[in-house]
Structures are given as C-alpha cells and as structure tokens.
Amino acid sequence: MTDSKNGLTYADAGVDIDAGNRLVDLIKPMVRATARAGADAEIGGFGGLFDLKAAGFKDPVLVAATDGVGTKVKIAIETGLHNTIGIDLVAMSVNDLVVQGAEPLFFLDYFACGKLDPDATAAIVAGIAEGCRESGCALIGGETAEMPGLYKDGDYDLAGFAVGAAERGTLLPGRDIAAGDAVIGLASSGVHSNGYSLVRKIVETSGLGFDAPAPFAPVMTLGGALLTPTRLYVKSCLRAIRETGAVKGLAHITGGGFTDNIPRVLPKHLGVRIDLARLPVLPVFKWLAKQGGIAELELLRTFNCGIGMIAIVRHDAAAQVMDVLTRAGESVALLGSVIEAGADRVVYDNHLDLAM
C-alpha cells in the first residue's frame, strides 16, 4: 500500500507522536524513583499494577481520591514556572486519603495540552514524582493527551488519581468524636490550590505583574510566591495516627475553608468552636484580604488562611499529638474544641490577625 500524494499526517493535524515518545524517555527515571513495596513504578504498559500483599496489608479497605489544581495552572503557564505544580496535583489527592486514615499506595496522572512541549511537561512530571516520593506512593501510570483545537498552544490542565488503603476497622473519622475533643491546626505553606480564581482577580486589580516582587514576600516574585506548592501532610498525620491512637478525625482545608470542610468529618449533632486569635495567618492572606477588601467570613470560606489540615483528637492527648506532629516537621496550634452543634456547625471567636 502506498501513501496518496500530499496525504495528511497526524503531525499535520497538530499531534506530534515523536514528542510524546521523547517525553516518555525523559520521565522514565523520575517514575522509577517513586517505586515502593507493592509497585515497581515502571510505565509503558496499558495499566499499572499494585500488590497489596507485598505492601504488607492483611485485610485492607481501598480508598480513592481524585482532584486537580484549578486555575493555579494559569499562573504556572503565564510565568513559565512548571516545576512545582505537579506537587500540588499529588497533594490535593493524597491529603484527602490520609484524612480517612489511609496510606497512599499509588498515583496516576492525566495531562492534557494543545501542543506538547516535552521539556515543560517533564518539569511538571518531575513535580508529580517528587510529591509521590514525599508521600510514599508509587507513580504507576498516566496519560498525556495532545488536543489541538481544544487547548491553545501553551495551555494545559492536570488531573490526579490516588489510591490508598487502611486495615479494616481503622478508617477515619472515628465514631467516638465527642464534645470536648481538641481541635488542632497544622500550618499550611501558602494558598495551596484553592481560591485561585479570586487570587488572580486580586492580582489583576492590583496592577502587579507576576514578575514583580511579592508585596508579602519581597525576596520572591509574585508569581513564584503564589506557586508555593501545597503542603503534603501524609507522613506526619500517619505518624500521629499510629503513634498516639488519639486522632479521631482529620479535615483537609480546601475549597470551602474551615466553614465547609470541618463539618464533613463530624457527626451531625456536633460542631467546633475556633479561636481565630490563635490562627497563624500567613502574610499572603493578609495581602489578599487587604488588596481585595475581602470580608473575614469570606476569607474563612475561600482560603485556608494559614491552616491546611485540622486534627480532632482526644482532649487528654492533645499535647502528645502536637508533640508528635511537631517532631514530624509540622507547625501546629491548638485552635479550639468540639461542641454540641447549634445553628452554625463552625463557631468563630475573636478575629483573624490581618495586620501587615
């Protein structure tokens, strides 16, 4: 069979198979570096394999989570800084696994773009691999989709899929959460990966470019500071769960902030009382609040404000849990306690310190 004269190719349609093959060659060493017990972290097949028995589980319950990084990718695209957005992708899913008491086992990613840039995409995958290594999970597969006409050249989007496991009977939240239990906050690294449509709107109205010095961190550019990756809480939280036996519930503070996320792990008859004066507000949130004129309750429902994870623990073990978390590298604050629910599931005392 011969090609017809002037016959079209896939490349003529905007899809470069050779670029895709080059990308695979670039990322294979990164993927192999995420290997763990139960997975060899090789890519190239039609599916990834995981051996639960080899991972040491006896009677496991699988827990799955999926997420993306939202419009934070627009800042990565506009600045050309792609090396940390993959960490965000992993963090958004594995942090959702650990709140259920599950150990992350493996991760898969989906990357879609208009025109594949192997070097930029490899930088993104390098971040994904780093996030997987820090979380103890294997990157066992993924998909790269080049879709000209659907995405503009330079644009891309990401989705991540994580699977973890816990031994049956150990899942969180526990059924024994009760009024009087302590509420502990684990510090965030920044905005994490929620609220970026509002962040970008505030930057636009400020008149600042992403290459300008960040008003809240002058040693960094604004774009670089806003791309600070989401903190990974997996190892520290698993350590606190296993060493203390006192962690009853965890809440990942994502979209919806404190107001919407904390009640997700509580029985319907319970709420929490939070002392906002104890909350360590990061400078980025002070700047966003001032520049955008954002009301306090809106801040608390949109951003993490400086606390990326909430732990609900037995009241008499609060100091022990805080000590374990601190030794695991977390900055922690005792924020309040569990209460009987009233009209509001989350009750706030005092105010956030938003002074710059």
Side-chain angles (χ1 to χ4, degrees):
M1 181 177 177
T2 59
D3 292 336
S4 62
K5 187 176 181 180
N6 298 323
L8 290 172
T9 67
Y10 211 3
D12 292 327
V15 179
D16 190 339
I17 295 175
D18 291 332
N21 291 334
R22 180 172 172 240
L23 172 63
V24 172
D25 290 337
L26 288 171
I27 68 176
K28 276 185 176 179
M30 307 172 194
V31 173
R32 290 192 189 108
T34 70
R36 55 152 292 159
D40 59 13
E42 283 290 335
I43 58 171
F46 288 96
L49 305 177
F50 195 91
D51 185 343
L52 282 166
K53 186 175 180 180
F57 287 91
K58 296 179 174 61
D59 185 20
V61 176
L62 293 179
V63 183
T66 182
D67 210 336
V69 294
T71 59
K72 190 173 185 176
V73 297
K74 288 292 290 181
I75 299 178
I77 291 166
E78 291 179 29
T79 61
L81 301 173
H82 307 290
N83 58 318
T84 61
I85 202 77
I87 300 174
D88 289 293
L89 185 67
V90 175
M92 293 304 291
S93 285
V94 297
N95 285 344
D96 279 354
L97 293 184
V98 77
V99 300
Q100 296 172 88
E103 174 188 341
L105 302 177
F106 59 87
F107 190 85
L108 300 100
D109 68 273
Y110 176 81
F111 174 85
C113 63
K115 182 175 178 57
L116 185 63
D117 180 336
D119 293 320
T121 309
I124 295 166
V125 176
I128 295 172
E130 182 180 345
C132 286
R133 287 195 305 271
E134 290 186 23
S135 305
C137 65
L139 178 57
I140 65 172
E143 171 68 8
T144 301
E146 192 174 16
M147 295 186 284
L150 186 58
Y151 293 89
K152 295 186 298 184
D153 286 358
D155 279 355
Y156 63 83
D157 198 10
L158 300 165
F161 312 87
V163 174
E167 294 292 355
R168 194 177 305 276
T170 66
L171 290 170
L172 297 178
R175 296 181 179 179
D176 57 342
I177 296 176
D181 285 338
V183 177
I184 296 169
L186 284 65
S188 68
S189 55
V191 185
H192 285 184
S193 299
N194 300 101
Y196 272 85
S197 294
L198 179 55
V199 169
R200 290 168 48 247
K201 185 69 174 177
I202 291 170
V203 171
E204 180 184 337
T205 59
S206 76
L208 295 173
F210 287 122
D211 58 349
F216 52 88
V219 297
M220 304 178 70
T221 64
L222 179 57
L226 291 174
L227 286 171
T228 300
T230 306
R231 186 166 180 80
L232 292 151
Y233 296 103
V234 171
K235 291 185 176 178
S236 59
C237 286
L238 285 177
R239 182 172 170 181
I241 291 168
R242 292 167 178 172
E243 289 188 14
T244 70
V247 178
K248 298 184 177 185
L250 295 166
H252 186 198
I253 306 303
T254 55
F258 293 88
T259 306
D260 291 347
N261 283 297
I262 298 176
R264 295 169 67 182
V265 301
L266 297 173
K268 293 188 181 300
H269 69 285
L270 295 177
V272 294
R273 182 177 291 276
I274 302 293
D275 184 351
L276 296 179
R278 299 182 182 181
L279 201 154
V281 181
L282 295 176
V284 60
F285 298 111
K286 297 181 180 185
W287 179 76
L288 289 169
K290 181 178 180 181
Q291 186 65 44
I294 307 173
E296 185 176 69
L297 289 177
E298 183 71 11
L299 280 173
L300 290 163
R301 200 179 184 192
T302 305
F303 299 117
N304 67 65
C305 296
I307 294 292
M309 183 71 76
I310 290 287
I312 297 172
V313 309
R314 204 174 65 235
H315 71 93
D316 62 343
Q320 180 191 8
V321 173
M322 293 175 71
D323 178 64
V324 171
L325 290 170
T326 300
R327 286 189 282 110
E330 302 292 350
S331 296
V332 298
L334 182 61
L335 298 179
S337 61
V338 176
I339 60 173
E340 295 292 337
D344 297 314
R345 300 287 301 282
V346 180
V347 177
Y348 299 112
D349 291 332
N350 297 312
H351 294 281
L352 296 170
D353 177 8
L354 297 176
M356 295 187 67

